[in-house]
Amino acid sequence: MKNKFYAGIDVGGTKIAAGLVTSSGRILSRAKSPTPKDASPKKIARIICDLLEETLYNANVSKKDLAAIGVGIPGLIDTDKGRILRTPNMSLSGSNLQKLLKKKLKMKVALANDVNLGVLGEKWLGAGRSAKNIVGLFIGTGVGGGIIIDGELVTGSHGAAAELGHMIIQDNGPKCGCGNSGCLEAFAGRWAIERDIRRAIAAGKKTAITKLLDKKSSAIKSRTLYKALRMRDPLVTGIVKEASRRLGIACISIKHVFDPEMIVLGGGVIEACAEFILPIVKKTAKSDKFFSEIGACEIVVSSLKDDAIILGGAALAKTS
């Protein structure tokens, strides 16, 4: 019998990425596309299908040898029904992307929260291979979470567990895209960092960011933040430092609730700016007085980086 292949799909706020994966976790080919602003579920499904075709073509693999796909979505997912309950930063709420993709592809499709899959990928082939209890915090457009306890992914009674980016860490804090105020994401997501930078610029603060912006896009991307940090831009450094401190505070609460062996930091902002962010997160988390006498919780950066959700999607597809 020929080897079967799996695909992992990472649907993000700025890009959609696909990878064709072997059963042992080797990525044979990749493809990606920008995420259209306010794209409909049908448009997202069409892009995913196009990316799958591209990965199959590039790897010279027939579609009949693709056994299943796993799709990561940034939001609340009813994993049993494949229905997307809520996507604060995308226009997918209420849709059944799983049904759309099954109809188009005629194969097994599994849907899950994107960071759940990222942590699953890290457990399978990344930084968490040797750990049984892992919590992931992925900082991209927003902040997502994933939890593995005793080797098993925790999804909760409604499939909506691990929305750690929406932990309220300040009850009178800034408004979050989810509708609440004071969420971790409203302090530490890339959109929140960009919001604070733009407010400061509007107030007359000087920053190198204005010269570093991509002329094709008005967004302040993670790579732009990295460049500003390397230049020691005072405005960007101060704002990212505060976001990092908030992440460290969140890690203290995560330790108290889950007592994990490891907290894995991932996502585009971490991938670009880890050398600046990680030391601040570790220092802040180390200030925890309550858990100072118990075993250490290691805080590490994702070793799979952009591939974490893709490989987690493939891992989910294998077991679906």
Side-chain angles (χ1 to χ4, degrees), residues 279-311:
I280 298 169
V281 173
K282 284 185 170 182
K283 182 180 178 181
T284 305
K286 199 173 180 180
S287 69
D288 178 19
K289 303 264 191 310
F290 184 46
F291 269 27
S292 60
E293 301 302 319
I294 70 166
C297 169
E298 194 177 3
I299 301 176
V300 302
V301 171
S302 159
S303 64
L304 299 178
K305 299 181 180 179
D306 266 357
D307 291 337
I309 295 170
I310 286 172
L311 287 169

Side-chain angles (χ1 to χ4, degrees), residues 221-227 229 267-277:
K221 297 179 180 178
S222 300
R223 190 71 186 172
T224 307
L225 293 175
Y226 166 77
K227 289 176 182 177
L229 291 170
V269 173
I270 295 297
E271 188 174 340
C273 308
E275 65 183 56
F276 180 86
I277 294 172

Side-chain angles (χ1 to χ4, degrees), residues 41-299:
K42 286 184 178 180
K43 176 68 173 175
I44 296 294
R46 190 158 60 247
I47 292 171
I48 290 172
C49 292
D50 289 345
L51 291 175
L52 280 174
E53 284 188 19
E54 187 177 338
T55 60
L56 290 165
Y57 177 81
N58 290 339
N60 195 27
V61 170
S62 170
K63 184 182 174 182
K64 69 177 185 299
D65 293 319
L66 184 60
I69 72 170
V71 183
I73 303 291
L76 304 179
I77 314 297
D78 182 336
T79 51
D80 290 332
K81 296 179 181 177
R83 187 166 170 266
I84 299 171
L85 303 175
R86 187 85 187 273
T87 49
N89 300 309
M90 297 184 75
S91 302
L92 296 175
S93 300
S95 65
N96 194 314
L97 190 61
Q98 183 184 58
K99 188 176 179 180
L100 283 172
L101 289 169
K102 278 184 174 180
K103 187 175 179 181
K104 283 178 172 289
L105 296 168
K106 306 292 191 293
M107 68 178 65
K108 288 182 181 178
V109 176
L111 233 63
N113 173 270
D114 56 349
V115 182
N116 277 206
L117 294 188
V119 178
L120 196 61
E122 291 293 335
K123 170 62 182 162
W124 184 26
L125 294 167
R129 286 190 203 199
S130 62
K132 289 181 69 179
N133 300 288
I134 310 163
V135 175
L137 273 179
F138 280 41
I139 299 89
T141 305
V143 178
I147 303 161
I148 291 177
I149 300 296
D150 291 332
E152 296 293 328
L153 197 62
V154 175
T155 56
S157 57
H158 303 98
E163 281 293 334
L164 301 177
H166 299 290
M167 292 189 299
I168 295 173
I169 60 172
Q170 183 178 316
D171 62 356
N172 62 343
K175 191 83 169 177
C176 182
C178 73
N180 291 326
S181 296
C183 297
L184 174 62
E185 180 174 303
F187 289 100
R190 185 184 58 75
W191 68 263
I193 293 170
E194 179 172 353
R195 173 203 62 206
D196 291 347
I197 291 171
R198 292 197 183 281
R199 283 179 181 173
I201 292 171
K205 297 286 180 69
K206 301 296 182 184
T207 172
I209 280 284
T210 52
K211 295 179 181 178
L212 294 171
L213 283 175
D214 187 340
K215 293 177 182 177
K216 295 179 181 178
S217 171
S218 61
I220 300 175
K221 297 179 180 178
S222 300
R223 190 71 186 172
T224 307
L225 293 175
Y226 166 77
K227 289 176 182 177
L229 291 170
R230 292 284 288 180
M231 294 169 68
R232 298 184 180 178
D233 179 83
L235 175 64
V236 175
T237 299
I239 288 170
V240 176
K241 184 176 181 180
E242 177 58 16
S244 304
R245 190 183 72 83
R246 296 283 186 171
L247 287 169
I249 291 169
C251 286
I252 293 174
S253 292
I254 286 167
K255 286 196 298 177
H256 292 176
V257 176
F258 300 106
D259 186 22
E261 297 157 71
M262 180 182 291
I263 296 173
V264 180
L265 303 180
V269 173
I270 295 297
E271 188 174 340
C273 308
E275 65 183 56
F276 180 86
I277 294 172
L278 185 62
I280 298 169
V281 173
K282 284 185 170 182
K283 182 180 178 181
T284 305
K286 199 173 180 180
S287 69
D288 178 19
K289 303 264 191 310
F290 184 46
F291 269 27
S292 60
E293 301 302 319
I294 70 166
C297 169
E298 194 177 3
I299 301 176

